[in-house]
Amino acid sequence: MKHDLIQLAKNVFELEAKAVSSLTKKLDDTFIEVLNMIFNSKGRLVICGMGKSGHIGKKIAATLASTGTPSFFMHPGEAYHGDLGMLTDYDIIMLISNSGETEEIIKLIPTLKYRKIPMISITSNPLSTLSKLSDFNLDIGMHDEACLLGLAPTTSTTSTLAMGDALAVCLMQMHDFKPENFAMFHPGGSLGRKLLTKVKDIMVDKNLPIVAPETGFADILHVITQCRLGICIVMEGEKLLGIITDGDLRRALLSSERSRFDFQAKEIMTTTPITIDADENASAIEAIMIKKKNK
């Protein structure tokens, strides 16, 4: 039984991989025209699909929106009962239907035609009603579903998702979409935090642990302990002379040829500390620390 299930899972992977791979042969001038129309649009790309196609449509819309192409999902049933009002005259609609005959989708076409909303369809049948009535049709090809009954959308939805990803990635290239742009749309993610957080956002700028060059061991230790940062800054007026870390103190205590407690800040400080501008990205600090650690 275990072997049979493993083989069944492998069959699913092979069927879906074959279907996605075959999409490379489907790319032609229509794909480029679709890209250009979306890229040059002054509106949004509205994606519409029923059932499993709808779930895939939501993911495609989310990917597009997060990578520089304004997009949102609209449920065809809700669209037929008022949500078509969400569309502006500048928008483009993408209708997803594997068969190209989904009733809830087909019912929207007369209104879309009347309003002259450009229509892109994704179907597996270029001869279907939806394909013929669309301005552009992206053909994902007809393949056996991975479902044992050949009924549940599996291969077809994977192919649709891949087509949507191809559109999103190509549009990213056309928009010259950079990591900084991605971070702007993902401020809560790790990349967003890295690229949007500035040094000044995380640095300590009050009650700094400052000592003078002549400060002795006891006072240095007191300042470092009080600030709980593991360092103190050696200043002469407004001039930075160096820093002293916990490690500097330990090394001084172990290596001093004089009395272990008989030294001043200027004798053990690091005189060439690495500094960074307050307006730099916080990620730059991480890069510097990793580089120095690996040396």
Side-chain angles (χ1 to χ4, degrees):
M1 182 65 174
K2 178 180 176 180
H3 175 76
D4 292 341
L5 292 175
I6 293 294
Q7 187 56 52
L8 181 59
K10 288 181 178 180
N11 290 342
V12 172
F13 296 151
E14 289 170 2
L15 281 171
E16 297 197 359
K18 182 180 178 181
V20 171
S21 180
S22 71
L23 290 176
T24 58
K25 299 176 182 178
K26 298 288 185 182
L27 297 178
D28 54 19
D29 289 343
T30 298
F31 183 79
I32 301 300
E33 290 181 274
V34 167
L35 286 173
N36 286 329
M37 182 170 68
I38 297 171
F39 178 74
N40 293 314
S41 172
K42 296 179 181 179
R44 295 84 46 89
L45 178 61
V46 181
I47 299 181
C48 195
M50 191 69 189
K52 305 299 185 296
S53 291
H55 293 303
I56 296 299
K58 289 179 183 178
K59 191 276 177 186
I60 294 174
T63 299
L64 288 164
S66 69
T67 53
T69 301
S71 180
F72 67 89
F73 176 80
M74 181 171 64
H75 191 283
E78 298 296 338
Y80 195 65
H81 290 278
D83 279 2
L84 279 173
M86 294 180 178
L87 296 176
T88 72
D89 293 338
Y90 299 104
D91 292 336
I92 299 168
I93 193 163
M94 178 179 286
L95 303 166
I96 303 174
S97 169
N98 183 43
S99 67
E101 302 293 346
T102 305
E103 181 182 357
E104 292 86 351
I105 296 291
I106 300 299
K107 288 195 301 184
L108 300 178
I109 294 178
T111 302
L112 295 172
K113 288 284 188 183
Y114 177 77
R115 292 190 57 188
K116 298 181 180 179
I117 302 292
M119 289 187 291
I120 302 166
S121 62
I122 298 181
T123 71
S124 65
N125 182 6
L127 300 178
S128 65
T129 302
L130 176 59
S131 302
K132 290 180 178 180
L133 293 176
S134 301
D135 296 291
F136 297 101
N137 175 245
L138 296 175
D139 178 17
I140 59 170
M142 301 185 80
H143 300 276
D144 292 336
E145 299 287 9
C147 165
L148 288 175
L149 301 176
L151 299 175
T154 44
T155 307
S156 59
T157 48
T158 301
S159 296
T160 302
L161 183 61
M163 182 64 78
D165 285 342
L167 289 170
V169 171
C170 289
L171 286 164
M172 285 177 70
Q173 174 75 12
M174 296 170 75
H175 284 293
D176 192 24
F177 199 77
K178 299 183 183 302
E180 292 78 10
N181 303 123
F182 189 85
M184 288 297 293
F185 298 138
H186 298 75
S190 59
L191 177 61
R193 288 192 296 272
K194 278 187 177 181
L195 295 179
L196 296 179
T197 303
K198 302 293 184 182
V199 171
K200 61 186 177 184
D201 296 326
I202 59 174
M203 71 181 188
V204 175
D205 60 357
K206 295 180 180 179
N207 301 318
L208 296 176
I210 297 173
V211 297
E214 295 77 21
T215 303
F217 167 74
D219 289 330
I220 295 171
L221 183 61
H222 176 73
V223 170
I224 290 180
T225 302
Q226 285 290 105
C227 76
R228 297 184 180 181
L229 295 176
I231 67 165
C232 66
I233 306 166
V234 184
M235 301 280 291
E236 191 169 53
E238 297 294 320
K239 184 180 180 181
L240 171 66
L241 298 182
I243 64 168
I244 299 173
T245 67
D246 284 336
D248 292 327
L249 278 182
R250 288 193 298 272
R251 284 185 288 273
L253 289 172
L254 291 172
S255 65
S256 178
E257 296 179 358
R258 299 177 296 172
S259 168
R260 291 187 176 182
F261 305 106
D262 183 22
F263 52 76
Q264 296 179 336
K266 62 185 178 183
E267 299 176 81
I268 65 168
M269 68 183 181
T270 298
T271 57
T272 56
I274 298 168
T275 60
I276 191 168
D277 191 272
D279 288 319
E280 283 280 356
N281 287 330
S283 57
I285 302 174
E286 181 184 19
I288 291 172
M289 294 175 72
I290 291 173
K291 182 180 179 180
K292 294 296 180 181
K293 181 180 179 180
N294 292 335
K295 280 192 173 182

